[in-house]
Amino acid sequence: MLAVGLVLAGCWTGDATPPPAPEAPRVVERPRPHTRTTTWTGRYRCAQGITGITLSLEIAPDGATTGVFAFSAVPENPTVPSGSYRLRGTASRLPEGGFSVDLRGESWIDQPQGYIMVGIQASSDLERRHLSGRITDSLCGAIDVDRRD
């Protein structure tokens, strides 16, 4: 005589509650370091004469700085074309409370014919509302901008 046995192990039958579904793995996102973005407007002097500038800077907590240098005509120099390029460099806190930037041109956004990218070396006032310094090309001079925001 043949004996037949039925063994159920580790399977679900319709008359019992199914086991809970496994939990999805948790994804832990690292917070992005806080960056501060500021916009500055003013003027600078270069070979083409006095030129208007809008300077946008994004400064990370470690001092890594990126930005956009956008230039354009001003009433006393109306023939300057508009253009813009990306900047990269560093910002440093100054002991008295302001900050300094050392930036160089990185890539053009809108390049007018005959124009080159220039860098900036400048420092802020204590309240961080005014930034002044120089354009780092031998044919250029001062830059003075005020914070818009």
Side-chain angles (χ1 to χ4, degrees), residues 43-53 71-74 76-81 115 135 139-142:
R43 296 168 180 232
Y44 71 98
R45 179 178 294 279
C46 252
Q48 72 275 9
I50 297 293
T51 305
I53 180 174
F71 56 92
S72 60
V74 292
E76 59 270 40
N77 195 3
T79 61
V80 172
Y115 277 70
I135 301 293
L139 297 176
C140 298

Side-chain angles (χ1 to χ4, degrees), residues 88-123:
R88 182 172 299 277
T90 58
S92 304
R93 290 181 190 254
L94 298 174
E96 67 274 4
F99 70 97
S100 66
V101 291
D102 187 2
L103 305 166
R104 66 190 176 289
E106 183 173 66
S107 62
W108 281 100
I109 298 168
D110 180 18
Q111 182 181 14
Q113 185 175 358
Y115 277 70
I116 63 168
M117 291 183 278
V118 295
I120 300 171
Q121 290 178 335
S123 299

Side-chain angles (χ1 to χ4, degrees), residues 130-148:
H130 184 77
L131 192 62
S132 62
R134 67 183 187 87
I135 301 293
T136 60
D137 184 272
S138 63
L139 297 176
C140 298
I143 179 171
D144 286 292
V145 292
D146 292 306
R147 200 167 89 197
R148 279 196 335 201

Side-chain angles (χ1 to χ4, degrees), residues 31-89:
R32 289 183 51 191
H34 176 70
T35 59
R36 179 175 177 92
T37 302
T38 54
T39 302
W40 307 76
T41 58
R43 296 168 180 232
Y44 71 98
R45 179 178 294 279
C46 252
Q48 72 275 9
I50 297 293
T51 305
I53 180 174
T54 299
L55 180 65
S56 299
L57 298 176
E58 187 172 294
I59 302 173
D62 66 358
T65 303
T66 58
V68 174
F69 184 114
F71 56 92
S72 60
V74 292
E76 59 270 40
N77 195 3
T79 61
V80 172
S82 295
S84 59
Y85 56 91
R86 290 174 190 81
L87 296 164
R88 182 172 299 277

Side-chain angles (χ1 to χ4, degrees), residues 8 11-20:
L8 296 176
C11 56
W12 173 67
T13 63
D15 52 355
T17 304

